[in-house]
């Protein structure tokens, strides 16, 4: 069984509650329809019910009625979310009136649902910027214990394997400490999906073939990961071809257990 098929099987066996704030975006709504049809997750959409159903009809979707739709304008829970947001952010100048205004943003509303453990996950970013997706989480949920800064990953699902790339969206010019944190979080994210993990710290040089500040950054970050998490199989710096192609790895990094 392919890795992606194993992930799908796990999702079906342990259905999670996923809130989608961008309920009128075509790709999001189509994905919601498929998730319901395939039994992948329990889907919650945020928005006006009539508008969502009309958009689903326009797209020829058949399963949106199987989602839960929450309209911020009419939901009785909106006031509860506003009270909680006020309590969480009053030291930062939040007022109850401002909290109600903030919760008109469906991403913020979905984040409050996540905070209250009413959903297991939130997916956004199809029409919202990364900053607008991440900011509510930073303000309301915050980082896990021991994590100093957040990072992102991409899952690239190929026919034979899955690559996890980090960080491709949030951190600009990270320090060695920050890069080590990104590597650790990327590894742990892959583990959360039961993926086999080997971490390659990518750079423009492999081993000692390259020189420069960026290579040294990679070397120092790799050493930091090994010191903090000896359980992680990691090597670097590695060029992409050495990290992913066996024939190249044998030439460029024959001693590497990761290449």
């Amino acid at each position: 069984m392919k890795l992606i098929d194993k992930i799908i099987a796990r999702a079906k066996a342990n259905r999670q509650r996923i809130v989608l704030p961008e309920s009128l975006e075509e790709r999001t709504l189509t994905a919601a329809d498929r998730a319901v049809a395939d039994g992948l997750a329990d889907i919650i959409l945020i928005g006006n019910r009539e508008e969502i159903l009309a958009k689903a009809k326009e797209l020829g979707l058949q399963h949106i009625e199987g989602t839960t739709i929450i309209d911020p304008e009419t939901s009785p829970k909106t006031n509860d979310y506003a009270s909680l947001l006020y309590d969480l952010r009053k030291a930062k100048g939040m007022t109850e009136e401002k909290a109600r205004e903030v919760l008109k943003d469906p991403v913020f509303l979905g984040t409050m649902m996540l905070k209250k453990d009413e959903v297991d996950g939130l997916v956004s970013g199809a029409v919202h910027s990364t900053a607008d997706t991440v900011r509510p989480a930073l303000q309301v949920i915050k980082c896990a214990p021991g994590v100093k800064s957040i990072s992102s990953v991409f899952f690239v699902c190929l026919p034979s394997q899955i690559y996890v790339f980090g960080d491709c969206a949030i951190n600009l010019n990270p320090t060695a400490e920050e890069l080590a944190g990104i590597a650790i979080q990327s590894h742990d994210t892959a583990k959360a999906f039961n993926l086999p993990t080997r971490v390659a710290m990518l750079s423009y040089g492999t081993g000692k073939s390259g020189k420069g500040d960026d290579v040294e950054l990679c070397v120092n970050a790799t050493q930091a990961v090994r010191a903090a998490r000896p359980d992680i199989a990691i090597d670097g710096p590695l060029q992409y071809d050495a990290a992913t192609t066996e024939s190249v790895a044998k030439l460029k990094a024959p001693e590497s257990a990761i290449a």
Side-chain angles (χ1 to χ4, degrees):
M1 182 183 291
K2 295 179 181 178
L3 284 174
I4 189 64
D5 293 329
K6 291 181 180 179
I7 292 175
I8 290 171
R10 287 185 66 209
K12 290 182 177 181
N14 183 22
R15 286 166 62 123
Q16 301 290 291
R17 303 162 297 172
I18 306 299
V19 61
L20 304 177
E22 300 165 322
S23 57
L24 294 178
E25 197 274 327
E26 182 174 330
R27 293 169 297 165
T28 300
L29 202 56
T30 301
D33 187 80
R34 179 174 175 181
V36 172
D38 293 348
L40 296 177
D42 296 325
I43 301 297
I44 300 95
L45 300 172
I46 298 177
N48 179 273
R49 182 177 184 84
E50 286 71 27
E51 291 180 355
I52 292 172
L53 294 180
K55 184 67 175 181
K57 183 178 180 180
E58 175 189 325
L59 296 172
L61 305 178
Q62 304 295 318
H63 305 282
I64 295 301
E65 289 279 7
T67 68
T68 299
I69 299 175
I70 295 179
D71 188 340
E73 299 293 335
T74 60
S75 174
K77 289 188 175 183
T78 300
N79 287 333
D80 294 338
Y81 300 143
S83 296
L84 176 58
L85 181 58
Y86 166 69
D87 288 338
L88 292 171
R89 301 286 295 168
K90 58 186 176 183
K92 299 291 186 179
M94 181 65 69
T95 64
E96 292 191 12
E97 181 179 355
K98 186 177 179 181
R100 285 190 289 272
E101 186 67 25
V102 167
L103 289 173
K104 291 181 180 179
D105 177 354
V107 176
F108 230 115
L109 183 63
T111 303
M112 295 305 297
M113 295 174 67
L114 194 60
K115 176 68 174 178
K116 288 175 66 67
D117 197 31
E118 296 175 352
V119 296
D120 301 299
L122 178 150
V123 180
S124 178
V127 293
H128 288 80
S129 68
T130 299
D132 288 338
T133 296
V134 170
R135 188 180 302 109
L138 283 175
Q139 293 181 358
V140 172
I141 298 173
K142 305 185 184 302
C143 292
V147 175
K148 295 182 179 180
S149 61
I150 65 168
S151 60
S152 72
V153 296
F154 292 162
F155 283 79
V156 180
C157 302
L158 303 176
S160 60
Q161 58 191 315
I162 298 174
Y163 289 128
V164 177
F165 286 92
D167 176 319
C168 305
I170 293 179
N171 292 283
L172 302 176
N173 301 317
T175 64
E177 181 184 17
E178 290 169 338
L179 186 57
I182 292 168
I184 291 170
Q185 290 178 50
S186 299
H187 169 274
D188 290 349
T189 297
K191 279 294 187 184
F193 284 84
N194 277 3
L195 296 175
T197 54
R198 292 183 300 164
V199 181
M201 302 294 278
L202 300 181
S203 185
Y204 53 77
T206 293
K208 298 181 180 180
S209 68
K211 297 184 183 300
D213 292 342
D214 289 339
V215 172
E216 287 303 311
L217 177 74
C218 189
V219 169
N220 293 335
T222 302
Q223 292 174 347
V225 173
R226 286 172 176 159
R229 290 284 300 275
D231 61 299
I232 295 178
I234 185 170
D235 196 14
L238 291 169
Q239 291 164 289
Y240 180 80
D241 56 357
T244 60
T245 305
E246 185 176 3
S247 59
V248 177
K250 288 180 178 179
L251 293 173
K252 290 187 175 183
E255 304 299 321
S256 175
I258 301 302

